[in-house]
């Protein structure tokens, strides 16, 4: 199936991969963009239609829905950083929670037959012991998780009260070379590359023991597409089903470059989260059984791809091709 798809958050990691996937499938892709650039989707300029808009502004969202006349809407835009959400809970609620509701309401009124995907998050489970599935209780431990839950419940409300075709994909952490440097995975792979190139000596990290269920963002967007192709709208969790600690991430990233991470990594208590989720790990069986979904990338594949991309990027920035060749 192909048609017209509206993606919010197209300048971000997932939005840009999703746009690529939809274009490959023959969709007309409309991307909501709030700033001057296309970010991670810059290479798609000319192949997507850019619609100016902001989740904080209902009129811009209504105009975008009217222009796109979408068959599918993917709401991937959000204030996505958990640490930022502790510093700015109001701004996070405004964008990640209320912003999603604004968009959903615009779709409900102006494109009532469209299918809608909401990017929900494993952070909504917070203190619920893992493994989590779509029936696990929600107990967020961050303003980000709480804001995501508000949006999530609105999707449920619209589905159950108004019969809207709307699903929430409760995704666990997913990364890629397009991940922002605000996130630990990219911070680690970039630092490993810079240390290898002699551009940096040290990497400061918070809790090395924190564990996450990490997947590749390209697997995550594949799961989004499969969820939108379900016969009936059903929320599902999507994740790898295994966790790795930040220390394992560091060891893999530095190991890929034959670096001894213990010589470079220092712990900085200022980088600790005020409170960690208890143990977030997906029960992958639901998405496996219902969608036939299984990840294509392993944790090691993911880390190696990110390190290689950062090494190439940092080397090209420094005009140091010799360092890449020697890696
Ligand atoms: P990301 O790279 O941080 O991208 C966030 C996107 O949201 C960017 O395009 C950003 O635009 C846009 N945005 C932020 N504020 C906005 C506003 N007020 N109005 C319109 N757009 C706004 O995030 P991601 O990793 O691709 O994640 C995609 C979605 O999945 C997010 O909703 C995230 O919360 C959710 N999620 C992600 C993960 C994960 O591990 N990646 C896990 C679970 C759920 P600018 O470029 O203008 O900043």
């Amino acid at each position: 199936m192909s048609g017209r798809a509206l993606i919010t958050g197209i300048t971000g990691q997932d939005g840009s991969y999703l746009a690529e996937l939809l274009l490959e499938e023959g969709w007309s892709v409309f991307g909501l963009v709030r700033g001057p650039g296309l970010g991670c989707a810059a290479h798609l300029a000319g192949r997507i239609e850019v619609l100016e808009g902001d989740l904080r502004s209902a009129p811009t969202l209504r105009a975008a829905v009217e222009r796109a006349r979408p068959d599918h809407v993917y709401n991937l835009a959000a204030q996505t950083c958990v640490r930022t959400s502790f510093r700015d809970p109001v701004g996070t609620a405004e964008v990640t929670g209320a912003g999603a509701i604004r968009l959903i309401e615009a779709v409900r009124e102006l494109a009532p037959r469209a299918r809608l995907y909401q990017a929900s998050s494993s952070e909504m489970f917070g203190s619920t012991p893992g493994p989590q599935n779509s029936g696990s209780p929600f107990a967020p431990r961050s303003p980000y998780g709480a804001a995501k839950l508000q949006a999530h419940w609105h999707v449920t409300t619209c589905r159950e009260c108004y019969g809207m075709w709307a699903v929430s994909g409760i995704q666990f952490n997913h990364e890629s070379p397009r991940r922002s440097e605000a996130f630990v995975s990219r911070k680690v792979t970039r630092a490993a590359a810079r240390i290898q190139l002699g551009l940096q000596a040290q990497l400061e990290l918070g809790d090395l023991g924190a564990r996450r269920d990490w997947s590749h963002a390209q697997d995550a967007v594949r799961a989004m597409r499969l969820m939108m192709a379900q016969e009936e709208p059903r929320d599902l969790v999507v994740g790898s089903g295994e966790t790795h600690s930040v220390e394992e991430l560091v060891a893999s990233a530095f190991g890929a470059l034959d670096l001894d991470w213990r010589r470079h990594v220092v712990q900085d208590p200022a980088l600790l989260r005020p409170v960690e989720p208890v143990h977030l790990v997906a029960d992958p069986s639901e998405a496996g059984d219902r969608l036939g979904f299984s990840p294509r990338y392993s944790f090691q594949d993911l880390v190696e791809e990110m390190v290689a991309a950062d090494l190439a990027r940092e080397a090209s920035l420094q005009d140091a091709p010799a360092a890449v060749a020697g890696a």
Side-chain angles (χ1 to χ4, degrees), residues 265-276:
V265 172
V266 290
Q267 277 195 280
D268 178 354
L271 296 174
L272 295 173
R273 273 196 202 183
V275 61
E276 272 286 321

Side-chain angles (χ1 to χ4, degrees), residues 9-15 32 34 53-56 76-78 80 95 119-121 144 148 171-175 179:
I10 198 165
T11 59
Q13 170 186 260
D14 293 8
L32 189 85
R34 63 173 172 156
D54 192 307
L55 285 189
R56 290 169 296 192
L76 309 186
T80 58
V95 174
S120 285
S121 164
Y144 168 80
K148 279 286 177 191
Q171 297 247 3
F172 286 64
N173 293 59
H174 44 273
E175 322 294 314
R179 188 62 142 153

Side-chain angles (χ1 to χ4, degrees), residues 13 34 76-93 95-97 119 121 123 141-148 173-175 179-185 187 212 271-275 277:
Q13 170 186 260
R34 63 173 172 156
L76 309 186
Q79 190 302 99
T80 58
C81 179
V82 174
R83 266 170 56 80
T84 302
S85 80
F86 283 101
R87 270 204 327 270
D88 182 14
V90 175
T92 302
V95 174
T96 305
S121 164
E123 291 284 333
R141 296 193 106 187
S142 65
Y144 168 80
K148 279 286 177 191
N173 293 59
H174 44 273
E175 322 294 314
R179 188 62 142 153
S180 144
E181 289 150 24
F183 292 85
V184 68
S185 58
K187 183 175 173 182
R212 296 285 181 269
L271 296 174
L272 295 173
R273 273 196 202 183
V275 61

Side-chain angles (χ1 to χ4, degrees), residues 3-10 15 18-19 22-23 27-33 47-52 63-74:
R4 299 164 71 89
L6 171 62
I7 303 175
T8 72
I10 198 165
L18 178 65
L22 290 170
L23 287 168
W27 289 74
S28 302
V29 175
F30 298 79
L32 189 85
V33 175
R47 299 178 62 203
I48 56 178
E49 183 168 331
V50 174
L51 305 173
E52 280 177 34
V65 172
E66 277 177 327
R67 164 71 199 150
R69 290 184 284 110
D71 301 298
H72 281 189
V73 178
Y74 296 84

Side-chain angles (χ1 to χ4, degrees), residues 176-178 186 189 193 303-316:
S176 76
R178 297 184 193 172
R186 188 67 205 298
T189 58
V303 176
E304 285 175 11
E305 183 186 329
M306 291 177 71
V307 169
D310 273 318
L311 195 59
R313 186 160 22 205
E314 291 295 327
S316 70

